[in-house]
Amino acid sequence: MKSTKPILPQQATQFEKIKVRLDAKTVVTINRISSLEKWKMIYPEAEIIH
């Protein structure tokens, strides 16, 4: 039987979230800076906001 452990608030916020503005209307949240490189290929004007 699979053991299910509750996710504690400390574990949920282990990674800092990065907000990225893709265009004037679109903002996404990513967990890794490597994901930003992929978004930049699709949206060259993407920038990090905080």
Side-chain angles (χ1 to χ4, degrees):
M1 190 157 183
K2 188 175 180 181
S3 172
T4 58
K5 295 181 182 178
I7 297 176
L8 301 174
Q10 303 93 330
Q11 293 172 338
T13 59
Q14 182 178 5
F15 300 103
E16 184 174 337
K17 298 189 186 310
I18 304 166
K19 288 187 178 182
V20 178
R21 180 177 305 278
L22 301 178
D23 58 22
K25 294 183 179 181
T26 311
V27 176
V28 296
T29 305
I30 58 176
N31 291 330
R32 289 170 282 170
I33 200 71
S34 61
S35 298
L36 177 62
E37 295 171 6
K38 294 177 184 177
W39 281 109
K40 282 245 191 216
M41 291 170 60
I42 302 168
Y43 293 94
E45 300 295 320
E47 61 182 17
I48 298 174
I49 58 174
H50 199 294

